[in-house]
């Protein structure tokens, strides 16, 4: 089953974030806590960690893309 990875809301004023770098690529195994991507907000650079165990199935937002909070940036095929 696929589960989405969303652009997290890091601060109260955050409305969007920019994908700086994907640390994992499609097909990579991921575990809870693994860093998937590095994002930049208007105030900081931070990491997006996986909340799931599985395989990175699809990257929706590319490096350089600016994405609104709660929008899908990737999909993980979860381990059953």
């Amino acid at each position: 089953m696929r589960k989405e990875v969303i652009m997290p809301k890091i601060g109260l004023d955050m409305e969007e974030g920019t994908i700086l770098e994907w640390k994992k690529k499609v097909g990579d195994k991921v575990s809870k806590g693994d860093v998937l991507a590095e994002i930049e907000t208007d105030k900081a650079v931070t990491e997006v960690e996986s909340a799931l165990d599985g395989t990175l199935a699809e990257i929706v937002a590319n490096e350089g893309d600016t994405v609104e909070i709660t929008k899908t940036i990737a999909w993980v095929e979860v381990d059953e």
Side-chain angles (χ1 to χ4, degrees):
M1 171 192 296
R2 278 187 171 196
K3 299 247 180 169
E4 66 183 343
V5 178
I6 63 168
M7 176 63 73
K9 183 171 184 172
I10 307 299
L12 292 174
D13 297 331
M14 183 180 168
E15 295 180 7
E16 61 188 18
T18 302
I19 305 289
L20 293 180
E21 179 183 3
W22 282 100
K23 302 294 188 177
K24 299 284 186 179
K25 62 183 185 298
V26 171
D28 284 353
K29 288 284 192 188
V30 297
S31 299
K32 292 178 186 174
D34 284 355
V35 175
L36 299 176
E38 190 173 83
I39 62 169
E40 181 178 41
T41 69
D42 58 341
K43 296 183 180 182
V45 172
T46 192
E47 297 172 334
V48 176
E49 295 181 354
S50 179
L52 307 162
D53 293 327
T55 303
L56 186 59
E58 181 181 358
I59 292 175
V60 178
N62 296 311
E63 292 178 359
D65 287 353
T66 299
V67 182
E68 293 177 25
I69 58 169
T70 72
K71 298 295 182 189
T72 303
I73 60 171
W75 290 92
V76 172
E77 186 74 33
V78 295
D79 295 337
E80 295 294 326

